[in-house]
Each structure stands twice: as structure tokens, then as C-alpha cells.
Amino acid sequence: MWDERTIDRGLNFTLITNLGELDLLGEITVGGDYDALLPYSEELDLFGVNHRCLGLEKLIDVKAAVGRPKDFEAVALLRALLQERGDKNQ
């Protein structure tokens, strides 16, 4: 049940939505807490609401440091996206 008590006692939440998996993280083991990661975030408009999300470079660093197989797959895709984004800006 999502109530104030649940959210207050939790730190990290993993949800499965109609649009896919969503991680709400209060802290990332290899990255730190919200304040430590804030300088590496960017504001994105998602479905008409502004959200702070890790930038691609820091997201790659964090996923690579975690070292889970599913993160290695994501890192490869994120690096390709970062390179593509860089190529478009040149």
C-alpha cells in the first residue's frame, strides 16, 4: 500500500508500470544520495511533469560500477546513445 508511512520508511522503490520498469532511488550504493548525485542530474519533461534524472555519463558510471549482467547490457546501449548524441552536436 502506498501511503505516507510506506514512503517515509522506504529509500528505494522498484515499480513495474504499463510503460516499463521504474526505479525510484533515494540512494545509489556506488553513487551516493540525492545531494551527491544532484550535480550530475538534468531536468527532463516527462509526460508534462518536470523530473530530475541522472545524466547519461553518470548513469553509465553507476551502472558499470554495479556490475550486474543486466547493467552491462544497458551500459553498452547507453554508451551508443551518448556517442550518437555527441555526433549530432558536432
Side-chain angles (χ1 to χ4, degrees):
M1 158 126 326
W2 284 92
D3 57 18
E4 184 176 340
R5 184 175 168 186
T6 300
I7 295 170
D8 189 48
R9 290 181 175 203
L11 183 61
N12 297 332
F13 299 92
T14 300
L15 310 174
I16 297 176
T17 74
N18 293 338
L19 299 173
E21 295 180 12
L22 174 66
D23 292 328
L24 303 174
L25 305 174
E27 181 176 276
I28 299 173
T29 304
V30 296
D33 64 8
Y34 180 86
D35 290 331
L37 293 167
L38 190 59
Y40 304 100
S41 70
E42 52 191 65
E43 194 168 296
L44 301 175
D45 181 326
L46 303 172
F47 307 103
V49 179
N50 287 335
H51 298 277
R52 296 224 60 93
C53 300
L54 278 184
L56 274 178
E57 292 171 349
K58 189 63 171 180
L59 183 58
I60 290 168
D61 291 346
V62 167
K63 286 191 166 291
V66 170
R68 297 176 300 188
K70 73 176 190 174
D71 290 315
F72 288 135
E73 290 178 28
V75 165
L77 294 171
L78 292 169
R79 284 187 176 139
L81 180 60
L82 185 62
Q83 184 171 352
E84 182 179 312
R85 183 189 272 184
D87 291 345
K88 287 182 180 178
N89 291 331
Q90 299 205 10

